[in-house]
Amino acid sequence: MMENLQYQTEMNSLTGKNNEVQPSNDGEDGVAKTENDGLYSWTQTDEEVEIVLPLTKNVVSKDVKVIFRPKVLKVKYCGKEVLDVDFFSRIDPDGCTWTLDKSGDDDDDGGVMKVIITCEKVDEVSWPRLTF
């Protein structure tokens, strides 16, 4: 880690960019990255990845099936596959969870159900992207 910092500092000095730092990877710093034309969004820390998948309202947990594999995430809704992700790196399926979350108001026309998926990374490093 220290070698990378020293290298970055030297390169910044040579190029005259003394106060600049390397930009963050996608999904870092609490800024969600939207994928597949808004199908889902994701954020990451070094330890985990969180994926948010909006679905229609009135979703019940028995209609949702989430499958965790070391490099793959699949989500089925009412028997139909709605998300299939080949991860950039490995996750620990035993350290993964999902929940349903309702956002918006309680009016008949408001509110969207979201599947919130949290995946624990095998290697605690930032990924440059979610998929391979």
Side-chain angles (χ1 to χ4, degrees):
M1 177 79 167
M2 197 57 166
E3 292 170 357
N4 288 340
L5 182 58
Q6 289 172 334
Y7 175 79
Q8 182 72 41
T9 302
E10 289 174 18
M11 291 305 293
N12 284 350
S13 177
L14 290 172
T15 60
K17 299 177 182 179
N18 291 325
N19 295 325
E20 293 184 27
V21 295
Q22 186 174 357
S24 299
N25 286 325
D26 286 342
E28 287 186 329
D29 300 328
V31 179
K33 169 83 171 157
T34 302
E35 301 282 355
N36 286 1
D37 296 322
L39 176 65
Y40 66 94
S41 62
W42 64 281
T43 56
Q44 69 171 323
T45 64
D46 285 348
E47 297 83 24
E48 62 188 24
V49 171
E50 182 177 275
I51 298 168
V52 178
L53 175 66
L55 294 176
T56 60
K57 61 183 188 173
N58 301 324
V59 175
V60 292
S61 60
K62 69 178 181 138
D63 293 334
V64 178
K65 182 175 183 178
V66 181
I67 302 164
F68 299 104
R69 297 217 170 92
K71 291 267 298 178
V72 174
L73 168 73
K74 293 181 186 275
V75 179
K76 294 183 180 184
Y77 175 56
C78 293
K80 179 182 174 194
E81 188 170 278
V82 293
L83 184 63
D84 183 359
V85 175
D86 293 321
F87 286 121
F88 174 79
S89 192
R90 295 172 55 88
I91 61 167
D92 177 7
D94 293 331
C96 299
T97 61
W98 68 274
T99 59
L100 286 177
D101 179 55
K102 181 176 181 183
S103 61
D105 56 38
D106 291 330
D107 294 342
D108 289 334
D109 57 282
V112 173
M113 293 295 287
K114 297 177 183 176
V115 180
I116 311 293
I117 303 163
T118 304
C119 301
E120 184 179 313
K121 296 177 180 177
V122 170
D123 299 315
E124 294 184 2
V125 296
S126 181
W127 296 350
R129 60 190 174 276
L130 182 66
T131 58
F132 185 71

